Amino acid sequence: MNFYLGIDFGTSGTRAVVINAEGVIQSETQYPFTEKLGGDTAIFVSTSTQWEKALYSLIQEIPQKICTEIGAIAINGTSSTVLLCDATGQPLTEPLMYNDDRGVAVMETLRAIAPPNHTVLSATSSLAKLLWFIQNSKSKIHNNSYFLHQADWLAFLLHGQLGISDYHNALKLGYDPEHLCYPSWMEQLPEIPALPQVLAPGTPVGEVTAEVSRRLGLPRDCVVCTGTTDSIAAFLASGANSPGEAVTSLGSTLVLKLLSQTRVDDARYGIYSHRLGDLWLTGGASNTGGAVLRHFFSDAELERLSSKINPHQESPLDYYPLLKAGDRFPINDPNLQPRLEPRPTDSVEFLHGLLEGMARIEAQGYQLLQQLGATQLTRVYTAGGGAKNPTWTTIRERHLKVPVVPSMHTAAAYGTALLAKQAIIGY
């Protein structure tokens, strides 16, 4: 069995990627969550029933001759997407999604329990959602109920072992990835359901059940592993693997992730670290990014105007491109005003100033991570739509003063397949 399956559960749908031992893609399948309601308005339906249907549909779409050779499976999910289920794994509640902020109602309780500036002190953290469940689902909370992340529950559907997670998903539940345990302050929590046992991402948990093997055509000895989050899976796909290497995601926002030998956490800037083997993946996110560019230009205009910019010449415009006031990283100021003036009449000069400003913010972000103790930057891989703009890449390279290269792969499912491959080789 020489193939490895990675499954990515994202916001708008799911994707499965099968690779061979050399990392070459053998199969790709997708399952969208999008439904059309009322004309052109699209909404994303993401329920546990939808997850289960998507999981099985993805695997059934893989060509049978490939499916029968899959030796390991790993799954990633959106960070802090959680649900409550009973002792048989049946959901007791609908999931709370990664961006659900109803946990704001329990923040006072959470601040009284968790240490200052801890990662869990966010209305969208897993622990905030757990406390919300406790306050609003008391009839469903008992000793035989389980609190699980999206990736945990989906893996359970395949291997049948309930209550197992990984320390990437469990970070925002309060798990301490440095000492590999739940911290003592969590003992102050009120009566809670069973918390998952936490293992390293990519740890073999068990073989697929006989029913899953029969239904989906997977080998009976196919191993299911602990998973990860979607953003870390995308980092794994990039090719970055050495201290000092980083990934910048140039999507609607600007997200930086730097592989470091030292752990860096600073809640003031929204900086926290995930454990990655013996290293730490630290980073932050700025509100600047592609959303600002698309506010002013279409994709065609961006391509046409970028080609007219001399990327080796610095723009004299001192912009901090934001759509509205406020940023957290690398400047922590909720009232920080967008700086987009003066605006030249020449659109090429204006775009040059925007790209230059974003490159400065990116460089400032990596400088801040290093000032706080992270390993010195040596190389930056780039993902997201902005990675396709060679002019922007050259401008960024001038500011970062290190090589800037495209990510080897950008699909989170590919990174998760690598996790499955790593697991089975160790197994």
Side-chain angles (χ1 to χ4, degrees):
M1 295 186 295
N2 298 317
F3 297 153
Y4 311 94
L5 169 60
I7 300 175
D8 165 43
F9 270 72
T11 304
S12 58
T14 65
R15 173 184 281 188
V17 169
V18 179
I19 63 172
N20 64 12
E22 289 72 43
V24 178
I25 295 175
Q26 305 297 302
S27 170
E28 292 185 82
T29 55
Q30 298 185 48
Y31 185 98
F33 291 148
T34 308
E35 291 189 353
K36 294 286 185 181
L37 292 180
D40 294 330
T41 302
I43 64 167
F44 299 120
V45 179
S46 190
T47 66
S48 55
T49 301
Q50 184 86 329
W51 294 353
E52 185 171 2
K53 182 180 178 182
L55 176 66
Y56 294 149
S57 297
L58 278 173
I59 297 175
Q60 287 171 331
E61 287 295 316
I62 298 169
Q64 189 59 32
K65 64 180 181 180
I66 294 176
C67 205
T68 56
E69 290 296 318
I70 293 174
I73 302 172
I75 302 173
N76 77 68
T78 46
S79 179
S80 294
T81 293
V82 297
L83 77 167
L84 200 64
C85 63
D86 65 18
T88 68
Q90 288 298 312
L92 295 169
T93 62
E94 281 304 332
L96 295 185
M97 297 303 293
Y98 67 98
N99 58 351
D100 192 305
D101 63 355
R102 69 188 74 186
V104 69
V106 301
M107 288 307 295
E108 186 174 339
T109 301
L110 193 51
R111 288 191 190 97
I113 297 171
N117 297 324
H118 197 281
T119 308
V120 300
L121 294 175
S122 162
T124 60
S125 74
S126 299
L127 189 55
K129 293 182 175 107
L130 172 58
L131 290 179
W132 186 90
F133 272 139
I134 292 170
Q135 288 191 4
N136 294 274
S137 311
K138 289 185 178 178
S139 62
K140 298 177 181 178
I141 301 287
H142 47 75
N143 291 336
N144 291 324
S145 59
Y146 287 81
F147 181 77
L148 297 175
H149 299 90
Q150 182 181 38
D152 309 339
W153 186 74
L154 289 164
F156 154 75
L157 295 179
L158 298 181
H159 58 53
Q161 299 185 38
L162 195 60
I164 298 174
S165 188
D166 63 90
Y167 54 58
H168 291 162
N169 276 292
L171 182 73
K172 294 179 183 178
L173 180 56
Y175 187 80
D176 182 348
E178 188 165 2
H179 298 99
L180 301 177
C181 63
Y182 287 106
S184 58
W185 58 261
M186 289 186 68
E187 296 171 5
Q188 303 173 55
L189 291 169
E191 182 180 356
I192 59 174
L195 297 181
Q197 174 190 0
V198 180
L199 304 174
T203 300
V205 175
E207 297 169 345
V208 296
T209 65
E211 167 61 18
V212 166
S213 174
R214 182 195 63 78
R215 178 176 177 179
L216 303 180
L218 291 164
R220 185 65 182 85
D221 56 351
C222 175
V223 175
V224 184
C225 315
T226 49
T228 183
T229 64
D230 55 346
S231 63
I232 295 181
F235 181 91
L236 296 175
S238 71
N241 56 24
S242 300
E245 293 187 329
V247 172
T248 295
S249 178
L250 299 175
S252 57
T253 59
L254 177 72
V255 181
L256 313 185
K257 292 185 180 296
L258 172 61
L259 199 54
S260 174
Q261 291 173 317
T262 54
R263 182 179 183 179
V264 176
D265 294 283
D266 196 315
R268 293 174 301 169
Y269 301 101
I271 297 171
Y272 58 89
S273 295
H274 276 286
R275 184 169 186 155
L276 211 58
D278 295 329
L279 301 172
W280 295 95
L281 188 58
T282 186
S286 170
N287 292 332
T288 195
V292 180
L293 296 177
R294 286 194 172 86
H295 179 74
F296 295 105
F297 303 106
S298 68
D299 287 349
E301 288 172 328
L302 285 171
E303 184 174 356
R304 178 174 59 82
L305 296 173
S306 294
S307 67
K308 299 180 179 180
I309 294 171
N310 179 358
H312 302 287
Q313 180 177 332
E314 186 168 1
S315 168
L317 299 168
D318 184 23
Y319 289 163
Y320 199 105
L322 298 171
L323 286 180
K324 60 181 181 180
D327 207 359
R328 191 173 185 183
F329 174 88
I331 297 175
N332 178 15
D333 182 355
N335 301 310
L336 182 66
Q337 295 300 309
R339 200 161 64 240
L340 296 168
E341 299 290 341
R343 178 169 178 173
T345 55
D346 186 344
S347 294
V348 174
E349 291 180 23
F350 181 51
L351 177 59
H352 190 181
L354 292 176
L355 297 180
E356 197 86 36
M358 292 178 189
R360 277 194 293 267
I361 293 170
E362 180 184 5
Q364 189 176 348
Y366 282 120
Q367 288 165 8
L368 176 60
L369 293 175
Q370 291 167 98
Q371 288 167 8
L372 293 172
T375 299
Q376 184 174 350
L377 185 68
T378 59
R379 178 187 296 263
V380 174
Y381 292 82
T382 309
K388 301 172 184 176
N389 189 319
T391 301
W392 197 2
T393 297
T394 302
I395 292 172
R396 293 170 53 231
E397 200 162 37
R398 172 161 48 79
H399 281 274
L400 292 168
K401 296 180 173 55
V402 297
V404 175
V405 298
S407 291
M408 294 175 63
H409 294 272
T410 58
Y414 185 91
T416 312
L418 290 177
L419 196 63
K421 175 190 167 188
Q422 166 196 311
I424 198 63
I425 290 173
Y427 190 61

